Amino acid sequence: MRYMMTYDLMETARNTNQWLGSTARAMASYPMFSAMPNPALNWMAAWGEVTERSFQRMAVKPDWGIRTFTCEDGKDHLVEIDTVVERPFGDLIHFKVAGREEQPRKVLLIAPMSGHYATLLRSTVKSLIVNCEVYVTDWHNARDIPVSAGKFDVEDYSLYLVDFMREMGPETHVVAVCQPVPLALAATAYLAEQDPKAQPSSLTLIGGPIDPDAAPTEVTDFGRRVTMGQLEETMIQQVGFKYPGVGRMVYPGLLQLTSFISMNGERHSQAFNDQIQRAAKGETSDHDSHNRFYDEYLAVMDMPAEFYLSTVERVFKNRDIARNEFTIDGHKVDFGKITDVAVKTVEGANDDISAPGQCIAALDLCTGLDDARKASHVEPDAGHYGIFAGRSWRNNIRPLVIEFMDANSRKQAPKRKAPRKTKVK
């Protein structure tokens, strides 16, 4: 880390900016200044309000905010978030609607571990909970995981998915979004060989890099340009003394956020300038469109260093998935062994992160799967976020995914007892 701020110095900079925003807002809001109205003071208070909130939410995990659901009886039912499997690096959680009959579709929604929390899929969960039992992989912030918990790389991630699929059973429909798409496919192939009866009924892959070279983007170009040594030197830091994971090597969330924003710097700068102007006019609220988006977008989490580095090396550089050369725990998985799981890919025509062609490559890898059990969809005019959230997802993609699930549901076995809560130290 010779050329970058240390982890603690980055956190200090974040705290300082939050404090500056809070101070500016407080100073410019003194009642005595109301006797002499001054547009400069209004602007200062607005700048402070926006700045304080922006830097504060960078260190806070957003709430799911799914507390009730209106069922067919017209009543609001409480939504309980139950932890089904508890692990050091991530849990399997269930959004249980109290007092509602169990829904026929059991969906495992695999959230990405790519800088944001699983709450990024909040709207996806809300749309599926209507007529599905929704389970989600809730990944933990690496800064909060003690070093004693050990490492966590792409193979460990895949094994977590294997265990989650086993826990949920063969009637499960798996939906993977973005980063976990190749690893979800690998976990399914692993089960096809090691434990065929635990395979899910269907696998829907949304906007993920199965073959990054199929349609290069700025993300894949970056992975090609830099060496692994450069990445480790410039991107990896040690968690500071403030958090339980002190000493763990991570790719810091604040550093990731810098990369996210730099990709569309002008648009983000304009968005914040506009928000300051609205705040000065008293036109903002906690739930306006700007705050709804940036409360989630700015909330970032650290990734384990070994997970980040192994993702770049094995998925992007070596293309282990695309070449059918991926190994899990010493076992080489063969995607051709997937013969009993229906696979569907979803891509966005305007996706600049995982461009069309990268995800559909999964279907060519599944050589043992009958073509009748393969499907693909490219959503016109949709970007990366739009293929799992927003209007395109709600109106076009979600109905297709539900239809695909229904067409490929396995006959359910006699009703099982509720999944037990499993805790692994």
Side-chain angles (χ1 to χ4, degrees):
M1 298 311 303
R2 293 172 298 182
Y3 309 113
M4 298 182 60
M5 293 188 292
T6 65
Y7 191 97
D8 279 342
L9 195 54
M10 289 182 68
E11 177 64 14
T12 299
R14 187 201 64 78
N15 274 333
T16 300
N17 280 285
Q18 181 182 336
W19 173 79
L20 288 172
S22 176
T23 302
R25 179 180 58 81
M27 288 184 62
S29 300
Y30 275 123
M32 61 177 289
F33 291 143
S34 300
M36 299 176 292
N38 187 329
L41 289 174
N42 288 341
W43 184 91
M44 182 178 176
W47 176 87
E49 175 187 327
V50 175
T51 300
E52 178 188 15
R53 180 167 183 149
S54 298
F55 284 93
Q56 180 183 39
R57 53 193 166 191
M58 292 178 186
V60 178
K61 179 180 180 179
D63 187 78
W64 281 99
I66 306 175
R67 296 178 176 83
T68 61
F69 175 75
T70 305
C71 296
E72 292 181 356
D73 59 8
K75 299 178 181 179
D76 286 343
H77 292 242
L78 291 176
V79 177
E80 303 169 358
I81 302 179
D82 294 337
T83 300
V84 179
V85 180
E86 186 175 350
R87 292 289 184 83
F89 290 88
D91 300 336
L92 176 64
I93 60 176
H94 176 211
F95 289 82
K96 181 180 179 182
V97 181
R100 183 180 74 167
E101 291 186 4
E102 185 176 347
Q103 297 300 293
R105 303 180 196 88
K106 188 157 64 168
V107 177
L108 170 58
L109 187 60
I110 303 178
M113 181 190 279
S114 55
H116 288 103
Y117 291 93
T119 52
L120 186 68
L121 302 184
R122 182 185 296 103
S123 62
T124 317
V125 172
K126 286 182 177 179
S127 68
L128 289 173
I129 205 173
V130 173
N131 51 15
C132 301
E133 294 294 332
V134 182
Y135 295 74
V136 180
T137 58
D138 190 21
W139 305 111
H140 299 164
N141 195 330
R143 74 185 183 198
D144 299 323
I145 305 171
V147 174
S148 58
K151 70 173 183 65
F152 190 77
D153 59 14
V154 289
E155 293 191 28
D156 298 308
Y157 186 109
S158 301
L159 289 172
Y160 267 47
L161 299 186
V162 167
D163 288 345
F164 292 161
M165 291 180 192
R166 278 180 173 145
E167 180 68 30
M168 291 186 60
E171 66 273 16
T172 305
H173 298 282
V174 176
V175 179
V177 178
C178 188
Q179 167 268 319
V181 161
L183 303 183
L185 185 65
T188 304
Y190 182 87
L191 279 175
E193 295 182 76
Q194 303 293 321
D195 191 0
K197 293 183 179 179
Q199 293 178 94
S201 296
S202 72
L203 180 62
T204 300
L205 308 174
I206 301 178
I210 295 292
D211 185 1
D213 283 3
T217 64
E218 186 176 339
V219 174
T220 60
D221 289 344
F222 173 77
R224 287 291 185 190
R225 287 196 309 267
V226 298
T227 67
M228 295 307 299
Q230 288 172 327
L231 279 180
E232 190 166 0
E233 180 70 20
T234 59
M235 300 295 183
I236 305 304
Q237 298 181 1
Q238 267 189 316
V239 175
F241 295 98
K242 182 178 177 181
Y243 299 104
V246 56
R248 177 175 291 280
M249 304 303 292
V250 298
Y251 177 26
L254 292 178
L255 196 55
Q256 296 172 67
L257 183 59
T258 302
S259 300
F260 295 152
I261 291 178
S262 65
M263 292 178 66
N264 295 284
E266 288 188 16
R267 187 179 70 182
H268 291 299
S269 178
Q270 187 62 49
F272 280 97
N273 285 332
D274 292 345
Q275 183 71 354
I276 291 171
Q277 297 302 323
R278 286 191 291 268
K281 297 174 184 177
E283 299 175 353
T284 59
S285 70
D286 283 345
H287 303 291
D288 60 35
S289 58
H290 176 94
N291 283 327
R292 283 202 312 272
F293 176 77
Y294 282 102
D295 277 353
E296 193 70 51
Y297 188 81
L298 296 178
V300 288
M301 57 184 282
D302 300 344
M303 277 193 282
E306 56 274 12
F307 176 78
Y308 171 70
L309 294 174
S310 60
T311 297
V312 173
E313 182 174 25
R314 300 182 63 178
V315 176
F316 288 91
K317 283 185 173 294
N318 296 345
R319 298 174 57 246
D320 287 358
I321 300 288
R323 295 186 300 109
N324 200 10
E325 294 291 337
F326 192 70
T327 59
I328 297 178
D329 196 25
H331 174 78
K332 180 184 176 298
V333 299
D334 182 1
F335 300 116
K337 299 296 184 180
I338 299 176
T339 60
D340 196 31
V341 180
V343 179
K344 181 183 183 71
T345 63
V346 176
E347 298 176 313
N350 297 337
D351 192 338
D352 58 352
I353 295 178
S354 184
Q358 291 189 17
C359 192
I360 199 174
L363 301 184
D364 291 334
L365 287 173
C366 297
T367 55
L369 188 63
D370 191 279
D371 287 344
R373 307 200 69 185
K374 299 179 183 179
S376 64
H377 174 73
V378 179
E379 181 66 17
D381 303 321
H384 188 69
Y385 189 77
I387 55 178
F388 62 87
R391 187 181 299 110
S392 293
W393 161 260
R394 290 193 307 270
N395 297 342
N396 303 328
I397 299 173
R398 179 190 174 278
L400 293 176
V401 172
I402 294 294
E403 181 182 345
F404 181 72
M405 291 177 184
D406 291 344
N408 293 282
S409 291
R410 292 200 177 101
K411 185 178 180 181
Q412 293 192 15
K415 195 169 182 180
R416 301 169 59 198
K417 294 181 179 179
R420 68 186 184 281
K421 181 175 178 181
T422 306
K423 183 172 182 179
V424 178
K425 294 184 178 180

